[in-house]
Amino acid sequence: MTGKRKKKINISINPEMPQPEVNDTDVRQDNPEKLSCHTSCESLLSYGSGFNNFQGIFNWSVVLLVLTHVHMSLENFIRYGLLFDPVKIISVFLKDPYKWPAVYLIAASVLFALPAVFIERYLRKVRGSESIGLVLQSLNLFLLVTFPAVMVYRMQAITPAGGLLTMFVYIIIALKLFSYYQVNRWYREGTPRPVRGTSRMQADSSTHQSRRNERGQSKQIMYPMNLKVKDLYYFLLAPTLCYQLNFPRQKHCRQGYIIRRFIEMIFLFHLMLGLIQQWIVPNIHKSMKPINEIESTLLTEYILKLAVPNHFIWLIFFYWYFHSCLNCLAELLRFGDRQFYLDWWNADSVLQFWSRWNIPAHRWLDRHIYRPLLHHGYDKWQARMTVFLLSACFYEYLIAIPLKMFRFWMFFAMAAQVPLACLMKKLFGGNFGNILVWISLVLGPPLMVLLYFHDYYIQHHRRDSSWRLFFF
Amino acid sequence: MTGKRKKKINISINPEMPQPEVNDTDVRQDNPEKLSCHTSCESLLSYGSGFNNFQGIFNWSVVLLVLTHVHMSLENFIRYGLLFDPVKIISVFLKDPYKWPAVYLIAASVLFALPAVFIERYLRKVRGSESIGLVLQSLNLFLLVTFPAVMVYRMQAITPAGGLLTMFVYIIIALKLFSYYQVNRWYREGTPRPVRGTSRMQADSSTHQSRRNERGQSKQIMYPMNLKVKDLYYFLLAPTLCYQLNFPRQKHCRQGYIIRRFIEMIFLFHLMLGLIQQWIVPNIHKSMKPINEIESTLLTEYILKLAVPNHFIWLIFFYWYFHSCLNCLAELLRFGDRQFYLDWWNADSVLQFWSRWNIPAHRWLDRHIYRPLLHHGYDKWQARMTVFLLSACFYEYLIAIPLKMFRFWMFFAMAAQVPLACLMKKLFGGNFGNILVWISLVLGPPLMVLLYFHDYYIQHHRRDSSWRLFFF
């Protein structure tokens, strides 16, 4: 059809203006046809023109987006004035300035990690103690998961923010120790068990064997020389969930880099809190009912109103946590592997997004759950489903317990990712897939958090004076 | 600095996840170092990573833009309900359903164009009558410009929309006749004057000379065979301001194309009016003071609030007029040259924008003002300034008279384009220039129209019942 049409009308695309030579009298006299200034051609936006340069449209959308939000900020400022108050933020973490339950709990987490080294040393020494070791390790991990949950759920003095932080630290340590135990078992299985009494000697010889690695940075440690408290605590501090004996290290610690990341951390943290105080809270305050009692049109409007600031805060949080915080920590520890995220913004499916936005968690799930499951004969989709169900449990655990509300929205949202992704993959792909990922990113995960936050806020806004102190 | 840093930390960019082979026990036993899963590399958003694939960001901005405006529409709908009423639109064009002053005036414009053919025929016949011809032509053009201005300004029955339409038709005809006179003079200067009495013969012979053009579409007309009423009226109807003897023509008129363009015309026209009624008018109604009495913060908020819908309406108007209407008209007349606009959305300076968004006007100004001025020895910037001052006069004329308000905002805005463009060109360029063009497009021209519209509306909203009928 297009070809047929093209033949009929003799399309000639000339992006530059035809320049008739009308200012030359000689030309006019020689050939009056040169006075013409029209040639046959299609409009650029016509289907047949073949024109597809719309670079400016990107700038257009950015300009409109910025202007729209400048307007919204100004409108917000005119209506509410300046609500941002960094001092009030302290009350989110502390109810009583003389009781710091979250800090004590986080400090205690260090002790829960300590047994790991001794369990591993014991397993290294005593032959046939694998089953005892497994029991001890499971007990250690079980305590790491249940202790903070019970404490946060039962303690009245702890705030949701403090509780979330505590739970987060404990679950990170649990995941790290899981990796630590598994990697050390791989080494035990891979190297011959030492004869009793010669272990000291062999350990010495393995130290002698340690050599400079290919980058000439530092000496390589061999198993079992890694079973030291110092080595474990470096791993616990390092911005990764996967244990390995010799992490890539930098020679130097760049001070300018640390300062830049630190300034980003401070600034973005206050920006996030400012956006919450200035933009989200007044909107939540306006709608003082639980989600299920609101009329559907108003609910849609309400969700859309909160989705955008929520999404911005999520984006800032992403940069703040995965770029500023983790890079700052890595630089301080001279930790070389900075792959904390990949280009999830280009992901064209939900699964690709999940495998790119949080690389430490993705790598842990891939190395310690997905691949071992494949190795034990499960198929790809079973392994993938297990990974997502496990993530769903982690998310629900992290959110439900500090808020003391079990809604299971987060759990079902995460569990629905795999079937949803299968469906999407069959229907859409490429650029359209990327658009769908963005739509679900804007409306999905931040909204999940919002659903909890909204209900919590509605439940507590009259009872709890510290909330009122923070928000109004 | 970057090179130095790169050397220090041994950057290795691996966009794909490292896949440690942990599920193979043999590999573990052979080489325990393969249990590592970390390699030294920078974060993608770090300056040193060299990563620059942000394709997804375009989708992100489009998704956010759409969501923001879906939310705003919903909010608007909840607050105001459905305000759009196509029947009320008639009152914008007609005050009294039995008096159609704009229609009579537009019909009369056809008669004002008629003398052009006879003046040209007279000039062709009578030697040395150039000065008389010039007087007659000037009189004709002067009448075309002043008659509608006086009529629209004095008549009480005419609405601003009707007045604008009338003025627009008259000025288009005036520009077309200016081109018609000038092109015919070029031909007279270029071809030998016929001996008295032989003109009829020569005209016949030139008809015999007329031959099929290179596309084999139709016979080419030679001067003075073009001096016919039919030829003039084809030019007056054709979607161009520049006269030439033989316009590129299509062989066939594509009916499907016309129907598509016609549906677009109807739909987009109602969309524009709907947006005005639903989005702009309620906002204007809220601020019931003249611009100069509003507080500056509120004024900024007000301008930003109106800039976005204004800009959308301008964009729709652009597509409606330059793509749908002009293409539909061109297809009906089998007019071949569809270059009504170029890719102004990629323009990286204001001057480039002006030379791309309205090609009929640009071509006319270029062919009949800019190049003749250059030919008469004026320099580039003088000619350019003249062109912009002339455009400024046209715009002011088109807006001030139907609204019966002389504010000269439009005039100064247009006149400021050239010095502004010089300044911008020195400071910015390329992609940043394009962003500036978009910013001035969003905040500039539509706002100019708005300033007039606002003041007019404020002046008339109590007195004039037809406005109230339309808007509330």
Side-chain angles (χ1 to χ4, degrees), chain B residues 183-329:
Chain B
V183 170
N184 278 314
R185 206 184 68 240
W186 290 337
Y187 275 101
R188 272 202 308 284
E189 286 167 1
T191 49
R193 209 187 63 80
V195 182
R196 196 183 293 263
T198 62
S199 68
R200 185 73 232 157
M201 262 179 69
Q202 200 169 347
D204 286 347
S205 74
S206 69
T207 315
H208 288 297
Q209 276 172 19
S210 64
R211 61 201 182 281
R212 301 184 78 78
N213 72 354
E214 69 277 6
R215 288 184 198 83
Q217 280 169 334
S218 60
K219 290 192 177 181
Q220 294 289 86
I221 292 166
M222 304 290 281
Y223 184 82
M225 283 307 292
N226 64 315
L227 300 177
K228 287 175 178 167
V229 175
K230 194 187 153 196
D231 181 88
L232 176 68
Y233 278 97
Y234 180 82
F235 168 56
L236 289 180
L237 283 173
T240 179
L241 297 176
C242 292
Y243 181 67
Q244 78 181 44
L245 262 64
N246 298 289
F247 289 109
R249 299 289 290 272
Q250 288 174 14
K251 271 187 184 169
H252 303 286
C253 180
R254 294 167 291 174
Q255 283 188 324
Y257 187 87
I258 292 175
I259 291 167
R260 279 200 300 280
R261 293 292 89 78
F262 192 73
I263 291 170
E264 278 177 11
M265 276 165 68
I266 300 295
F267 173 73
L268 292 177
F269 183 73
H270 284 92
L271 183 64
M272 278 191 284
L273 291 170
L275 284 175
I276 292 174
Q277 287 181 319
Q278 189 77 40
W279 200 354
I280 291 190
V281 172
N283 285 335
I284 288 188
H285 191 60
K286 270 203 287 184
S287 141
M288 268 304 165
K289 293 178 194 172
I291 290 282
N292 53 350
E293 289 174 22
I294 303 174
E295 199 191 322
S296 68
T297 324
L298 282 172
L299 182 65
T300 316
E301 196 262 329
Y302 178 60
I303 286 172
L304 283 172
K305 182 177 252 161
L306 287 167
V308 175
N310 225 320
H311 178 68
F312 279 130
I313 288 163
W314 180 80
L315 283 180
I316 296 168
F317 172 79
F318 165 79
Y319 187 88
W320 175 76
Y321 184 71
F322 286 97
H323 192 78
S324 306
C325 294
L326 292 187
N327 265 313
C328 187
L329 182 63

Side-chain angles (χ1 to χ4, degrees), chain A residues 251-320:
Chain A
K251 271 186 183 169
H252 303 286
C253 180
R254 294 167 291 175
Q255 283 188 324
Y257 187 88
I258 292 176
I259 291 167
R260 278 200 300 280
R261 292 292 90 78
F262 193 73
I263 291 169
E264 278 177 10
M265 277 166 68
I266 300 295
F267 173 73
L268 292 177
F269 182 73
H270 284 92
L271 183 64
M272 278 191 285
L273 291 170
L275 284 175
I276 292 174
Q277 287 181 319
Q278 189 78 39
W279 200 355
I280 291 190
V281 172
N283 285 335
I284 289 187
H285 191 60
K286 270 202 288 186
S287 140
M288 269 304 167
K289 294 178 192 171
I291 290 283
N292 53 349
E293 289 174 22
I294 303 174
E295 198 191 322
S296 68
T297 324
L298 282 171
L299 182 65
T300 316
E301 196 261 330
Y302 179 60
I303 286 172
L304 283 172
K305 182 177 251 160
L306 287 168
V308 175
N310 225 320
H311 178 68
F312 279 129
I313 288 163
W314 179 81
L315 283 180
I316 296 168
F317 172 79
F318 165 79
Y319 187 88
W320 175 76

Side-chain angles (χ1 to χ4, degrees), chain A residues 33-94:
Chain A
E33 275 189 17
K34 291 214 172 171
L35 291 175
S36 306
C37 69
H38 296 91
T39 46
S40 211
C41 67
E42 285 281 288
S43 295
L44 291 190
L45 293 177
S46 283
Y47 184 67
S49 78
F51 184 85
N52 61 0
N53 180 4
F54 294 99
Q55 291 174 340
I57 301 300
F58 177 62
N59 292 328
W60 170 75
S61 63
V62 170
V63 164
L64 264 197
L65 208 58
V66 169
L67 273 179
T68 308
H69 286 96
V70 165
H71 167 239
M72 280 165 74
S73 313
L74 199 66
E75 199 179 41
N76 176 292
F77 183 76
I78 288 169
R79 192 178 295 171
Y80 302 112
L82 189 69
L83 298 176
F84 175 58
D85 183 349
V87 178
K88 282 183 185 167
I89 290 160
I90 297 162
S91 68
V92 179
F93 294 96
L94 292 178

